[in-house]
Amino acid sequence: DARVTQTPRHKVTEMGQEVTMRCQPILGHNTVFWYRQTMMQGLELLAYFRNRAPLDDSGMPKDRFSAEMPDATLATLKIQPSEPRDSAVYFCASGSGTSYLNEQFFGPGTRLTVL
Amino acid sequence: AQSVTQLGSHVSVSEGALVLLRCNYSSSVPPYLFWYVQYPNQGLQLLLKYTTGATLVKGINGFEAEFKKSETSFHLTKPSAHMSDAAEYFCAVINTDKLIFGTGTRLQVFP
């Protein structure tokens, strides 16, 4: 049963600490998305990659957030330094092909709490 | 820019009753529209999508949605609610190659 995996599932940290979230896309998928979900803002696209190349990260605060794909099986989202307003659920999704019309498969999310 | 508006952040129905979740879109070009479902503590899952062709789209779990250009709507329906349908539902539209989600509607199903 192919699925997107995310680690950790929960993270509690203190303001100023570095946070790294990891995502393993479905094998064979070439597109990876990072979303953030909060009560106030809903679901926001932070960044996405195709064939490991970043295509758009305009939704991401550049000064503290960074997203990378070291290889085809791993995507990372880092926050440094973290702030309380970063508390949210962060979702990774993967898809295949080159069209947004193709289904995105979501992981279970990382629930981040920054104290 | 394309966007979607979901009317009603909460909807409650009795088991066996009709489910109707409303979504209106704004788009200057023919829209591509989606409905996703999120069960508690899980990621989103695609229910159905409209791209072109038939305006009545059937999805998983007995859900369907009808694209109505004249009303700029893409409402989600299910004839008979089941307890397992309790979840949050998101309407979404593609905007310059990105999925833009609505604010979501939480569906409660009472026995």
Side-chain angles (χ1 to χ4, degrees):
Chain A
D1 183 23
R3 58 183 66 190
V4 176
T5 58
Q6 290 186 248
T7 56
R9 291 293 312 276
H10 302 271
K11 176 73 175 178
V12 180
T13 190
E14 293 188 346
M15 182 174 62
Q17 296 299 305
E18 177 178 303
V19 174
T20 298
M21 291 169 272
R22 293 177 174 80
C23 167
Q24 183 172 10
I26 292 173
L27 190 64
H29 281 188
N30 65 338
T31 310
V32 173
F33 309 84
W34 282 105
Y35 291 91
R36 176 171 63 185
Q37 185 178 38
T38 62
M39 290 293 291
M40 294 301 295
Q41 301 296 326
L43 267 163
E44 306 171 279
L45 178 66
L46 297 176
Y48 77 98
F49 294 75
R50 181 165 293 136
N51 298 322
R52 295 178 55 201
L55 290 191
D56 191 332
D57 61 1
S58 59
M60 212 163 59
K62 298 294 190 299
D63 56 339
R64 299 183 300 108
F65 284 60
S66 63
E68 295 180 347
M69 279 202 74
D71 61 59
T73 64
L74 177 65
T76 61
L77 180 66
K78 291 185 181 180
I79 308 175
Q80 169 63 19
S82 58
E83 298 180 0
R85 58 180 168 151
D86 301 329
S87 297
V89 181
Y90 291 81
F91 289 103
C92 173
S94 72
S96 60
T98 58
S99 171
Y100 243 89
L101 300 182
N102 296 330
E103 181 176 355
Q104 296 183 29
F105 294 82
F106 282 73
T110 294
R111 183 175 295 275
L112 174 65
T113 303
V114 183
L115 303 175
Chain B
Q2 287 84 342
S3 65
V4 289
T5 301
Q6 291 185 244
L7 302 175
S9 57
H10 289 82
V11 170
S12 298
V13 299
S14 298
E15 193 172 20
L18 171 72
V19 175
L20 171 61
L21 305 182
R22 300 177 187 272
C23 173
N24 287 88
Y25 69 87
S26 173
S27 179
S28 56
V29 298
Y32 298 133
L33 296 159
F34 302 74
W35 276 100
Y36 276 81
V37 60
Q38 184 179 25
Y39 297 104
N41 299 314
Q42 294 186 28
L44 279 71
Q45 179 183 2
L46 181 66
L47 272 178
L48 49 82
K49 66 181 178 183
Y50 169 78
T51 54
T52 58
T55 56
L56 182 62
V57 182
K58 295 188 184 299
I60 61 172
N61 301 337
F63 283 92
E64 61 183 36
E66 187 170 10
F67 172 68
K68 291 187 176 180
K69 184 178 179 181
S70 61
E71 299 177 8
T72 62
S73 68
F74 190 57
H75 301 332
L76 182 71
T77 60
K78 182 173 180 177
S80 176
H82 193 272
M83 296 295 290
S84 61
D85 294 327
E88 188 146 19
Y89 292 80
F90 293 90
C91 182
V93 66
I94 285 185
N95 181 16
T96 58
D97 240 19
K98 303 177 187 179
L99 262 181
I100 305 299
F101 288 92
T103 51
T105 297
R106 185 168 297 278
L107 175 66
Q108 285 186 303
V109 183
F110 293 102

